[in-house]
Amino acid sequence: MAMRGLTVFISDLRNCSSKEQEEKRVEKEMAHIRSKFTSDSNMNGYNRKKYVWKILYMYMLGYEVDFGHMEAVNLLSSQKYSEKSVGYAWCALMLREGDELLRLIINSIRVDLISRNDNAVCLALNSICNVGGKEFAETLSNDVLKLLTHNITKTYVRKKAALTALRLFRKSNDTLPAEQWADRILALLDEKNIGVLTSVTSLVLGVLAVDSAGWEAAAPKAARTLTRLVLNKDYSNDYLYYGIPTPWLQIKLLKVLQHFPPPEEHALKLRVSEVLQRIVSGTEVTKNVNKNNATHAVLFEAINLSIHLGQSSETLPQCINLLGRFISIREANIRYLGLDTMARLSQEQPHTLDDLKKHQSTILFSLKDPDISIRRRALDLVYAMCDTATVKETVSELLNYLDNADDHIKEELVLKIAILSERFASDNSWYVDVVLQLVRSAGDQVADEVWYRIVQIVTNQGEDLQRY
């Protein structure tokens, strides 16, 4: 039912011709509401709801509000959804984590949380996600987790409960002990509903980011769900995004697998390998930007998993070839991701360096890219790929690039050249030549540490180097 007084008030404010006129109307309304709250001790729910909405509207316009708190809190205890929802809207807008007033509403939220009214339960879950802190986590986490794992909980409530549990876990890691909850929560990964699966996977991923101990059963369940989505195509068409089945869920499941060592069980290993093979070989570049974004998001996460699996991954050589293609295409975002992933690959799987060096000319060419972020990623990759065999060629290219490099990257470039030339120097005279060339080209950007190091080397290496 529309609230005429609220509608008229909003209309009055919109029709104000100046800021001063608006402020006078707001002050008048605030004085009116204050007097009503003070004088009418038996105010009915409708009027209380109307006045709290007005307070919220004035607050959203930027006016300071320092009254009406208890009236809003009283609305939380109402049995009417229209009144209760106003109380929760006030909590979401007016309260912040750590506010003293939150202690007054914890009990009201818990009453709604354990009630049989699903609408009230959802309001309570939303409120916990908005303002819940450590005190909420310690008091309400068990109720939220019971709601999440209970057999009769409805789908839309279970989704909210999973995300609320994640919020509380981030506030207090002790709220979700693996020995008590891991099996019950991981059982939800067998759900058919994609929405519930996505929410529960987000919760599991949040827990794994802190500690994976006790959650090892998540790996086979994630692989089984990926098989269902990618290989068996068992999903509702409602979750197709530009022809791609639930890309957001696929990405989360691929991330879950990266929190565990490469699988040793043959069946699990085969299942993961088949999924990766299908994703890596089935991704094509199209003219549709949104489809490209979704497919490449899944593809790059699959490549990250292949990197994590290392030599046990059969798709790793194929991934390297794909990355070589990506760093040479026109789309800047894909080039950036390609270079970034290559840098990670070179650090985590050094045995792939020879394959990566096949693309060195393209990587060096990326140092001249107009985009500073791509130039930085290319520099990081060149730095990571360098070794004793390639150091002279790499340093020579970087010195040539130094002459035309802009100031945003020059200092970092100088430091990387100095480190590489010292780390892989075959003779000290070559190292001295490089540092002197750095001084000529970069001057002020050469750090004092580089100067001290070359003086130390020249002093300690005898007369031959000093004579040189």
Side-chain angles (χ1 to χ4, degrees), residues 246-258:
T246 63
W248 45 90
L249 177 56
Q250 287 190 52
I251 291 168
K252 290 176 189 292
L253 292 168
L254 290 166
K255 284 182 176 178
V256 166
L257 290 170
Q258 293 173 55

Side-chain angles (χ1 to χ4, degrees), residues 59-231:
Y59 176 75
M60 288 189 292
L61 288 177
Y63 292 95
E64 188 175 344
V65 176
D66 58 359
F67 68 100
H69 301 342
M70 293 310 301
E71 283 72 18
V73 169
N74 289 336
L75 285 173
L76 294 178
S77 304
S78 173
Q79 297 303 309
K80 293 182 179 179
Y81 178 81
S82 62
E83 295 173 9
K84 186 185 290 290
S85 63
V86 177
Y88 277 111
W90 180 88
C91 290
L93 283 170
M94 303 288 283
L95 296 182
R96 297 291 180 270
E97 181 184 337
D99 284 351
E100 290 292 328
L101 203 57
L102 288 175
R103 295 178 180 176
L104 296 177
I105 68 172
I106 286 183
N107 192 53
S108 297
I109 291 176
R110 187 171 187 275
V111 169
D112 288 334
L113 202 57
I114 61 179
S115 72
R116 295 185 178 181
N117 184 333
D118 288 335
N119 290 328
V121 171
C122 288
L123 286 174
L125 291 171
N126 289 342
S127 179
I128 295 169
C129 282
N130 279 318
V131 298
K134 191 167 184 179
E135 191 171 350
F136 271 56
E138 293 168 352
T139 308
L140 302 174
S141 59
N142 273 344
D143 295 315
V144 173
L145 291 167
K146 286 176 184 175
L147 192 64
L148 170 63
T149 56
H150 203 287
N151 291 332
I152 64 171
T153 302
K154 291 183 180 176
T155 297
Y156 65 91
V157 178
R158 200 186 299 278
K159 288 190 290 186
K160 290 178 181 290
L163 297 177
T164 305
L166 176 58
R167 159 83 181 205
L168 295 179
F169 175 78
R170 285 173 173 165
K171 295 299 175 182
S172 177
N173 298 159
D174 300 331
T175 59
L176 203 55
E179 62 276 6
Q180 182 179 352
W181 293 105
D183 291 341
R184 296 163 71 179
I185 290 174
L186 292 177
L188 296 174
L189 291 178
D190 296 324
E191 269 272 358
K192 292 294 182 183
N193 184 280
I194 299 294
V196 172
L197 259 178
T198 305
S199 298
V200 172
T201 305
S202 297
L203 171 60
V204 172
L205 202 53
V207 174
L208 294 177
V210 175
D211 186 7
S212 61
W215 296 83
E216 290 79 8
K221 287 183 178 289
R224 192 180 304 124
T225 306
L226 280 168
T227 301
R228 171 186 145 197
L229 296 173
V230 178
L231 301 180

